[in-house]
Amino acid sequence: MSESARRTIGPLVVLLVGVVGCALLAIWSSDLPDRVASHFGADGADGFSSITELIVLTAATAVVGAVIAGVGAFVVKEPVTSRIVTGIGTGTATFVIAVTIWITGRQRGLDDASSATASVWLTAVCGVGALVLAVAVAFATPVRPVGYGRTAPVGEVPVAHDGQRSWTGTASVGAGGLVTVGAAVAVLCGLGVVMANWYLLGVAVLVAAVGLALTGSIQVSVSEDGFRAASRIGWPVIAMPLSEIRRAEVVEVNALRDFGGWGYRVSGRRNLRGAKGFVLRSGQALLVVGDDRREVVVVDGAADAAGVLNALVSR
């Protein structure tokens, strides 16, 4: 398959999902109530639509999703951003359509849609399926070579002269990251109490545990093998062989301004656009530059790590 054809995968997948969704709604129309439950609150169905409105909504969602996926695949030039935009367009539209179809299908045979029910697990299953599809489409979308290694540095490029051949350090989550995790847990706990849904309390604890396990502490190493940064449990991990590294820079990072938050992040701002990696707090970061990707980690001793890495690259 040619590169141009692969770029159409995202838009075509979304349009296909939309066509299937519209077809199912049309086929089911005779078995559905005149007004179908389309929105649910704590007390059950509280919003209703005609089958025609749902078909129009499904078609519009597919078109908008296809446009967004197309912009990501054909217009956005930066590799990471291109795949993210394509995945968001594909996944979001698929999720909305899947939930609409599933909820509507459960109402076949009902005389009154007010007795219809929705399930948190239904939404979760649709979400997981849409996420898997979005990731698959994102990685199937070809990216354009950027040539970061040939561009001007955005930070300092120190070089160590003491012959040191390795460096290790630990990146730990800062106050901002802890506040974010705490806020997410508090919101989920609050929703669980208000909605009397105790599953959400378990989800809250799970969110905190998984978040801290994955990005609470990152081991960073520089050696003749290249650059590596990984959580204590071994995933997620960033690795770049020495042969692919063109230089290492030291940049000052503001987690919220430059990366939109804390954790494993991708920047869409100015000179750091497309840089991705572990931003657990604000401060000096090690930016490892390859031809077509830039990896970042905020860590104490970033200048020392960059100096050792640049010395190894220049050998």
Side-chain angles (χ1 to χ4, degrees):
M1 183 181 290
S2 68
E3 184 173 301
S4 295
R6 288 172 58 199
R7 293 186 191 282
T8 65
I9 291 176
L12 290 179
V13 165
V14 178
L15 291 175
L16 177 61
V17 170
V19 168
V20 172
C22 289
L24 287 175
L25 292 173
I27 293 170
W28 294 341
S29 59
S30 60
D31 297 327
L32 292 167
D34 292 335
R35 301 291 289 177
V36 177
S38 55
H39 187 275
F40 296 83
D43 298 323
D46 59 5
F48 302 87
S49 305
S50 69
I51 190 65
T52 300
E53 290 171 336
L54 288 180
I55 291 175
V56 171
L57 173 64
T58 299
T61 300
V63 170
V64 172
V67 170
I68 294 174
V71 168
F74 288 96
V75 179
V76 179
K77 293 182 172 58
E78 200 287 316
V80 176
T81 307
S82 172
R83 283 179 165 168
I84 289 176
V85 173
T86 303
I88 288 176
T90 303
T92 303
T94 299
F95 172 72
V96 172
I97 293 172
V99 170
T100 299
I101 299 306
W102 198 333
I103 289 177
T104 303
R106 287 163 55 95
Q107 298 176 57
R108 286 178 294 168
L110 295 180
D111 294 325
D112 184 2
S114 61
S115 61
T117 59
S119 168
V120 173
W121 298 112
L122 178 154
T123 305
V125 169
C126 291
V128 171
L131 178 61
V132 170
L133 180 62
V135 171
V137 167
F139 279 99
T141 302
V143 295
R144 299 174 178 85
V146 178
Y148 288 124
R150 298 187 296 274
T151 60
V154 298
E156 298 179 8
V157 186
V159 179
H161 298 287
D162 57 2
Q164 186 176 346
R165 295 190 175 186
S166 65
W167 180 93
T168 59
T170 301
S172 301
V173 66
L178 292 175
V179 169
T180 300
V181 173
V185 171
V187 169
L188 288 173
C189 286
L191 288 173
V193 172
V194 171
M195 299 174 64
N197 188 334
W198 306 114
Y199 289 113
L200 286 178
L201 298 180
V203 171
V205 174
L206 183 62
V207 166
V210 172
L212 292 176
L214 294 180
T215 59
S217 180
I218 304 299
Q219 301 298 304
V220 184
S221 64
V222 168
S223 68
E224 293 179 328
D225 293 327
F227 162 76
R228 188 177 189 274
S231 72
R232 289 189 180 276
I233 64 174
W235 189 90
V237 60
I238 300 171
M240 191 183 297
L242 193 64
S243 59
E244 296 181 9
I245 298 173
R246 298 297 169 259
R247 64 176 179 270
E249 304 175 23
V250 181
V251 294
E252 193 69 28
V253 164
N254 181 293
L256 194 58
R257 180 194 65 205
D258 298 327
F259 287 86
W262 300 265
Y264 186 88
R265 313 293 293 184
V266 179
S267 178
R269 190 173 187 272
R270 296 182 182 177
N271 292 335
L272 290 174
R273 183 174 289 112
K276 57 184 175 65
F278 298 105
V279 182
L280 308 186
R281 57 181 173 81
S282 299
Q284 280 197 335
L286 170 65
L287 181 68
V288 182
V289 181
D291 282 332
D292 297 316
R293 61 174 173 144
R294 294 189 294 179
E295 308 290 354
V296 65
V297 59
V298 179
V299 61
D300 290 334
D304 294 334
V308 172
L309 193 51
N310 284 323
L312 292 171
V313 169
S314 63
R315 288 173 50 196

